[in-house]
Amino acid sequence: MQLAVTEAWKGLGATWTNPRVGAVIVKDNRILARGHHHRFGEPHAEIDAISHLNSPSDAKGATIYVTLEPCSHYGKTPPCADRLVDLGFSRVVIGQADPNPIVGGNGIDRLTKNGVVVDNLDNTEMVNEAYNFYYRRKRPMVTLKYAMSLDGKINQAGNTRTQLSGSQAWEDSQQLRRLNQAILVGERTYHVDDPQLTIREADAKTQPIRIILMRDARHLDLTAKLFQTSAQVWILTSHRPTASLPEFVKVIEKPDWSPAAVIKQLGDQGIQSLLVEGGSHVQAAFVKAGLVDKLVAYISPFMIGGTGLPAVIGPGNAEMLHFATPTIQSLGDDIKVTTRRAD
């Protein structure tokens, strides 16, 4: 199963809205083939592994280890459970049952009713943390991320961006973007930082949806870096842009974009995970709404002092959110703190 997990992670960032899945075929104590779900719309992990057999007949009497329950419905591809039955697999070992109600135990039932032994190890939940969260909680999983100084500041005073993190922390933040289907920043971060919000590594298979929370988009600046690459951009605004927009830009207009309204909109659109990167007031609004499920903070060895902008600051008091004991990781001169909601 660990080999299947390794296979599953090869699909990182490319399978949305499908989960990452890996599979390993074993017979007579020998590994015959491995596979994974490469990209949304392409063959699932089980079928990919089968394609690497010397002959499909080698599957008869074999065991397949797969990190998630095989599907039992027609979607972009035919049901994997039926294919496993047709080829004569004698045993299927799964890492977890699928929380998606379209599958939801039906794959296991299809296999067992056709004489296939199914064992559930229930040990691969973290391969698809956001996917599981989405189908169990009926909303996207929200990760709050920021880089700050030793005294809790994310920017020096003034409307200029302060670079805090070193190269290792920056590279780690790129991996964090791969783990999320969408990235959100507020209007001030959009104007001050002029961000691209893309994964800048050459092997990036897909890009996250880049979301800007903007009160008034009527005078949108199309020369900003955000619009120089064709990855999807969603603008959540109360006033639509007046300019003609590129095809990759989607505008969603509502009179009020509270964190709850943002999350409902994204959930309705099938977005399973959201990375809230900035700015400080947007972060504070999500905390106040209780809509933070995971926190990632990069702490750099600087002190800003003065009137520098603190992390997660906004009007009013928020109910304290309880998080689990954090994990601490050194990344060059920086420290990464990761924790999840304890309740």
Side-chain angles (χ1 to χ4, degrees), residues 193-204:
D193 291 2
D194 191 18
Q196 295 182 49
L197 301 180
T198 54
I199 301 167
R200 251 98 76 195
E201 295 173 326
D203 64 343

Side-chain angles (χ1 to χ4, degrees), residues 142-154 164-166 168-170 172-173 176 180 275-278 283 287 292-301 310-312 323-324 326-340:
V142 179
T143 299
L144 189 67
K145 170 256 179 181
Y146 52 83
M148 70 178 185
S149 63
L150 293 171
D151 54 341
K153 306 292 178 62
I154 63 173
L164 291 172
S165 300
Q168 290 188 37
W170 181 87
D172 188 85
S173 71
L176 186 60
N180 286 274
L275 179 62
V276 178
E277 288 206 356
Q283 295 166 351
V287 171
V292 178
D293 306 299
K294 182 177 178 180
L295 172 68
V296 177
Y298 299 97
I299 304 173
S300 299
V312 197
F323 286 83
T327 59
I328 311 295
Q329 180 182 2
S330 293
L331 296 170
D333 291 334
D334 301 308
I335 294 173
K336 177 185 178 183
V337 178
T338 305
T339 184
R340 292 169 174 79

Side-chain angles (χ1 to χ4, degrees), residues 59 68 75 78 92 99 129 159-160 175-176 184 211 228:
L68 188 69
V92 177
E129 184 180 16
N159 290 325
T160 57
Q175 292 301 311
L176 186 60
L184 180 143
I211 302 174
Q228 307 315 306

Side-chain angles (χ1 to χ4, degrees), residues 61-204:
T63 295
I64 185 168
Y65 290 79
V66 59
T67 56
L68 188 69
E69 175 185 358
C71 67
S72 56
H73 64 288
Y74 283 89
K76 296 285 185 181
T77 60
C80 292
D82 288 355
R83 184 64 172 153
L84 298 181
V85 170
D86 292 343
L87 288 177
F89 280 92
S90 63
R91 182 173 176 235
V92 177
V93 182
I94 65 173
Q96 71 157 102
D98 195 331
N100 185 341
I102 293 177
V103 182
N106 294 323
I108 294 172
D109 287 345
R110 188 81 59 90
L111 293 166
T112 55
K113 286 177 180 177
N114 284 278
V116 180
V117 176
V118 178
D119 294 319
N120 184 359
L121 301 183
D122 198 21
N123 64 355
T124 60
E125 290 268 334
M126 292 306 292
V127 175
N128 292 291
E129 184 180 16
Y131 175 86
N132 291 325
F133 185 99
Y134 177 81
Y135 282 108
R136 290 168 181 163
R137 304 285 189 92
K138 313 302 182 187
R139 68 167 177 84
M141 178 178 169
V142 179
T143 299
L144 189 67
K145 170 256 179 181
Y146 52 83
M148 70 178 185
S149 63
L150 293 171
D151 54 341
K153 306 292 178 62
I154 63 173
N155 257 335
Q156 293 174 291
N159 290 325
T160 57
R161 181 172 181 264
T162 302
Q163 180 66 42
L164 291 172
S165 300
S167 61
Q168 290 188 37
W170 181 87
E171 290 169 4
D172 188 85
S173 71
Q174 295 292 297
Q175 292 301 311
L176 186 60
R177 287 182 175 181
R178 286 178 188 259
L179 283 167
N180 286 274
Q181 194 176 355
I183 300 173
L184 180 143
V185 299
E187 190 168 5
R188 186 176 187 278
T189 298
Y190 162 73
H191 287 302
V192 173
D193 291 2
D194 191 18
Q196 295 182 49
L197 301 180
T198 54
I199 301 167
R200 251 98 76 195
E201 295 173 326
D203 64 343

Side-chain angles (χ1 to χ4, degrees), residues 4 12 51 134 174 230 259 281 290 334:
L12 177 62
S51 73
Y134 177 81
Q174 295 292 297
S230 59
H281 291 279
D334 301 308

